[in-house]
Amino acid sequence: MAQNTTLMAAVAGGGAPLPEGLPGRPRALRLPHGPKVIIGLVILAVFVVVAIIGTWAAPYSPNATNVATWVRHVLVPGTGPGTGVPAHYYPLPLPPSSSHLLGTTVFAQDVLSQLLASTGATLFVGLLAAAMATVLSVLVGVTAGYIGGFADESLSLLSNVFLAIPGLPLLIVLAFYVPSAGTSILLVAIIIAVTSWAYTARVLRAQTLSLRSRDFVEAARISGEGRLRIILVEVLPNLVPIVAASFLFTTLYAIGVYVALAFLGLAGSPTSSPAGLWNWGEMLREGFANNAVRGGWWWWWAPPGLCIALLGTSLALLNFGIDEFINPRLRVAGLSRRAAKRAGIRVRPSFGVTAVVRRKAEPGGEVAAP
Amino acid sequence: MRLLIRRLGFYLVAAWAAITFSFLIPRVVPGNPVATAIIRAETSGQCNSACVHAIELQLGFNVHTTLWTQYAQYWGNLSHGNLGFSWSENAPVGGLIVSYLPWTIGLLVVATVIAFAVGTLIGVLMAWRRGSWVEWVMPAAAFFQAIPYFFLALVIVLIFGQTGTMLKWLPSLFGYDIYTVTPGPNWSYIASILQHAILPGVTVVLASMGGFILTMRNNMLTTMDEDFVLVARAKGLPTRRVVTYAARNALLPVVSNFTLALSLVVSGQILVEIVFNYPGIGYHLYQALSELDYSLVQGIFVVITLVVLAANLLADVVYVLIDPRARQAG
């Protein structure tokens, strides 16, 4: 779970400086770039591919078990030959091998297959919930900020109440009363979206308020444009970077809470009926509940956890890119010591000035430096 | 003062909303889940007919009074501290929660204070020394921020916990050694509590610190470009003092956005408690969920919300104390 850092700064400052288009270069092409964004995009792309082909590429079905050969059988002490008690065995998962690249579970299932099959639901619930939450927050935030008055008061109160009530407990109670939530991506996503739109709405409201009184919006109003047209054509395009950052942040949050819900056993088990979806949280839950930590069977629970962390890191890296795009003062972070030297800047940081350097090799591309 | 009163009013509205939500949801969702829970209680053998009737009253199932009467009743019970009866623990919910709370709040407060202090310091340092190797803290902080709390807890148990398989340094189950120590005001009990709090505490600190680091770094970078910092520098103040001035100002948005951070830490700690079987609210919430003990689940939700709202009010008081502008507006 993560906090959206830039948006905090944006709210605190009463509105982040929006990037101004450079002359001679269309703004749409000035997308965030730099190593962080590229690494983030690559990781995310890999996960998206796995999410799409995961179930198909998995060597086995995630539910397939083979009790005969996919577990080690250990004799229960005090049973078997010589004790007079019929032999009892308990199963131990197999460590990674060439036939099971990530080993097996105590239920004699293939971990790699589960990991691949889980990627889809985990990623798509996150993206879908974030998309719904973002639409909701744009509707609420922009309406509140632009229309003002009673609409603003009541919508702001609503989003502040949602912010003040701790998110996961609220979600737990909701999911508790909708036991079938875990059976469909759409249903989980709706429940998560309902509890995660408020922060973005507040940020967008603040930004809309600040945009509303700017000259170009005033000009549009005076020239007789309709309210809807002003919102769609003048205000919304200026909110795009914030909406994009919020979308990534909400995706990260949604994946975090989905996995947490599954870990709590509220997202349905894939083997129950109706069957819940395979997801990384469910894998962690099964591992934890069956003593995978105590047994030292790390291959069972470490891969899904690392996948969550990696996916989350990629989203956070992309978010940094957008942060630096929205707030040029953060942009220095992308400038390495060597690049600074090449640009002829004193490397020792100082205060009070964010210099803007234009490199010759890259006309129009700007790099902020200390 | 006026600001604080307005905030207090808002928190009362939020508390009302949470309590009303908790009242309404079992009454508006289609009957199935509630009925299942009541059957579960009936068949458990731990809940006699009076107990079943109490649960039905609490959840508004099989009750033939109007919603308004039930709502008034609900508030009446609540005002007497009556949050219903937990059949799985065979005790009133209110008393149970009071016994869970000290564990959760103790761990939460200590861990949040440490994470906040250390994270903020690192954030200031990163902004101050930007462009140097400390930039590498950023992806690391992002990684830690993205790890689910409970996964980090599992890793820490594996490496350091006595129930793990590697170093076995520290206890990683329960809030104190339940086999050898008798609870009470004696030294071995206190020592045991402290020892058992280390690993869960470290987990919460590590998992929540990333957010504080990144927030503070970004605020600090933004603040360091303000005119007053330039003036302070131009006056020839030593760098250390300039950084202190900037840091104090950069801290304000962190405090005013404390709500969000706290909500995340509380959510995370619930999961950490489960992994460590730590006897706080989160662990018992998990138990209540698996037993379908709705009264306990809802009582815990209401109490967590009230505690978080109270903490937010406290953060607002701090904000008014440290920001003169907020004082003047009031």
Side-chain angles (χ1 to χ4, degrees):
Chain A
M1 292 186 206
Q3 300 173 34
N4 194 346
T5 50
T6 299
L7 299 191
M8 271 186 194
V11 172
L18 289 170
E20 317 265 328
L22 280 178
R25 189 156 176 193
R27 254 183 64 178
L29 291 177
R30 292 181 56 235
L31 292 172
H33 52 275
K36 278 186 218 132
V37 176
I38 291 166
I39 295 173
L41 274 178
V42 169
I43 301 176
L44 185 62
V46 170
F47 276 116
V48 170
V49 171
V50 173
I52 295 169
I53 65 164
T55 325
W56 172 77
Y60 310 97
S61 154
N63 287 326
T65 71
N66 187 338
V67 186
T69 56
W70 288 6
V71 277
R72 238 163 357 114
H73 297 277
V74 178
L75 194 67
V76 178
T79 66
T83 58
V85 182
H88 276 290
Y89 296 91
Y90 58 83
L92 283 187
L94 294 176
S97 64
S98 57
S99 52
H100 300 284
L101 289 176
L102 286 175
T104 61
T105 73
V106 84
F107 305 117
Q109 295 166 325
D110 183 57
V111 175
L112 180 66
S113 304
Q114 294 186 347
L115 192 72
L116 290 173
S118 297
T119 312
T122 316
L123 188 66
F124 292 138
V125 164
L127 290 174
L128 192 61
M132 290 193 280
T134 305
V135 169
L136 203 60
S137 59
V138 168
L139 285 177
V140 172
V142 174
T143 312
Y146 193 81
I147 295 188
F150 178 71
D152 183 19
E153 293 280 328
S154 45
L155 289 175
S156 296
L157 182 69
L158 188 68
S159 43
N160 283 332
V161 165
F162 266 97
L163 268 182
I165 297 176
L168 188 64
L170 178 65
L171 202 58
I172 288 173
V173 174
L174 268 180
F176 197 42
Y177 280 101
V178 190
S180 56
T183 56
S184 112
I185 290 184
L186 187 65
L187 213 53
V188 195
I190 289 175
I191 291 182
I192 295 176
V194 165
T195 57
S196 57
W197 56 274
Y199 188 72
T200 311
R202 197 169 80 165
V203 177
L204 288 176
R205 173 188 168 268
Q207 193 63 35
T208 309
L209 265 182
S210 115
L211 282 174
R212 204 189 144 184
S213 52
R214 292 202 192 169
D215 287 346
F216 67 96
V217 179
E218 293 282 358
R221 198 175 306 139
I222 291 166
S223 66
E225 283 184 36
R227 191 181 266 172
L228 192 65
R229 196 190 137 82
I230 294 180
I231 291 180
L232 289 181
V233 179
E234 311 288 350
V235 176
L236 266 187
N238 283 296
L239 295 175
V240 165
I242 293 187
V243 170
S246 307
F247 175 74
L248 290 179
F249 162 69
T250 314
T251 310
L252 183 58
Y253 177 81
I255 290 175
V257 291
Y258 177 46
V259 168
L261 277 186
F263 184 71
L264 288 166
L266 290 172
S269 154
T271 48
S272 71
S273 118
L277 303 158
W278 270 109
N279 64 79
W280 293 331
E282 171 65 19
M283 293 180 70
L284 282 162
R285 185 189 73 76
E286 290 188 359
F288 170 69
N290 293 288
N291 283 323
V293 177
R294 219 180 290 192
W297 312 319
W298 53 268
W299 57 86
W300 189 358
W301 55 270
L306 286 176
C307 281
I308 299 165
L310 210 59
L311 177 58
T313 310
S314 80
L315 292 169
L317 289 174
L318 285 178
N319 220 342
F320 288 160
I322 297 181
D323 282 1
E324 286 168 14
F325 180 71
I326 299 176
N327 187 348
R329 286 162 172 175
L330 303 176
R331 222 172 281 170
V332 67
L335 191 67
S336 73
R337 211 168 253 265
R338 210 186 315 157
K341 211 167 185 180
R342 220 183 304 136
I345 305 156
R346 205 168 58 98
V347 175
R348 189 88 199 106
S350 64
F351 295 92
V353 198
T354 293
V356 173
V357 184
R358 228 165 259 180
R359 286 196 205 130
K360 284 229 167 64
E362 196 187 331
E366 59 177 275
V367 177
Chain B
M1 243 3 245
R2 244 178 58 203
L3 178 81
L4 282 185
I5 290 171
R6 235 184 44 217
R7 297 300 294 168
L8 180 68
F10 164 70
Y11 290 129
L12 289 178
V13 171
W16 168 81
I19 289 167
T20 305
F21 166 78
S22 165
F23 165 81
L24 275 181
I25 188 157
R27 288 165 175 83
V28 296
V29 289
N32 244 345
V34 181
T36 317
I38 289 170
I39 291 168
R40 173 83 173 262
E42 270 174 340
T43 53
S44 71
Q46 295 172 31
C47 195
N48 58 24
S49 59
C51 156
V52 170
H53 186 63
I55 297 174
E56 286 181 343
L57 270 185
Q58 177 82 12
L59 300 177
F61 189 78
N62 248 342
V63 178
H64 306 291
T65 48
T66 62
L67 210 57
W68 284 113
T69 329
Q70 292 179 37
Y71 192 49
Q73 231 166 20
Y74 189 82
W75 273 101
N77 286 340
L78 212 59
S79 63
H80 294 103
N82 180 358
L83 287 166
F85 189 81
S86 158
W87 64 266
S88 66
E89 300 279 338
N90 197 19
V93 170
L96 284 171
I97 293 179
V98 168
S99 70
Y100 307 151
L101 263 184
W103 295 99
T104 296
I105 292 186
L107 191 64
L108 186 70
V109 168
V110 174
T112 313
V113 166
I114 294 177
F116 178 78
V118 177
T120 304
L121 271 180
I122 295 178
V124 170
L125 219 77
M126 279 178 69
W128 184 7
R129 300 274 177 204
R130 63 174 163 178
S132 71
W133 61 269
V134 286
E135 285 297 327
W136 288 104
V137 178
M138 239 170 102
F143 184 75
F144 268 95
Q145 210 188 7
I147 295 182
Y149 279 62
F150 57 91
F151 177 64
L152 187 63
L154 291 174
V155 173
I156 284 185
V157 170
L158 175 76
I159 300 177
F160 301 107
Q162 277 163 7
T163 50
T165 52
M166 292 169 78
L167 298 173
K168 297 182 186 285
W169 279 352
L170 287 160
S172 46
L173 267 189
F174 312 122
Y176 61 96
D177 193 334
I178 55 170
Y179 302 112
T180 62
V181 178
T182 38
N186 57 65
W187 175 240
S188 61
Y189 179 55
I190 296 170
S192 183
I193 288 180
L194 291 178
Q195 218 185 4
H196 280 73
I198 294 176
L199 288 186
V202 165
T203 309
V204 176
V205 167
L206 280 182
S208 56
M209 204 162 68
F212 288 119
I213 293 178
L214 294 176
T215 315
M216 191 59 192
R217 171 190 173 272
N218 282 5
N219 286 338
M220 189 70 187
L221 281 181
T222 312
T223 311
M224 274 171 25
D225 264 7
E226 300 279 342
D227 289 340
F228 75 89
V229 179
L230 186 60
V231 170
R233 236 185 121 64
K235 276 163 73 179
L237 292 181
T239 315
R240 194 170 297 272
R241 276 188 71 188
V242 179
V243 173
T244 319
Y245 282 146
R248 276 167 52 182
N249 280 279
L251 204 57
L252 292 177
V254 181
V255 176
S256 67
N257 273 297
F258 197 70
T259 312
L260 190 73
L262 188 71
S263 163
L264 290 173
V265 180
V266 169
S267 304
Q269 193 182 316
I270 289 175
L271 301 162
V272 172
E273 284 180 8
I274 295 168
V275 173
F276 287 97
N277 280 24
Y278 200 76
I281 268 193
Y283 173 68
H284 287 100
L285 177 62
Y286 180 61
Q287 298 291 325
L289 288 174
S290 54
E291 295 281 355
L292 296 185
D293 190 339
Y294 279 52
S295 316
L296 192 50
V297 170
Q298 272 170 306
I300 288 178
F301 167 71
V302 168
V303 172
I304 292 182
T305 306
L306 294 183
V307 169
V308 167
L309 293 180
N312 282 331
L313 187 63
L314 203 69
D316 285 338
V317 172
V318 171
Y319 188 75
V320 169
L321 286 180
I322 59 175
D323 190 351
R325 284 171 300 187
R327 269 204 302 279
Q328 264 165 17

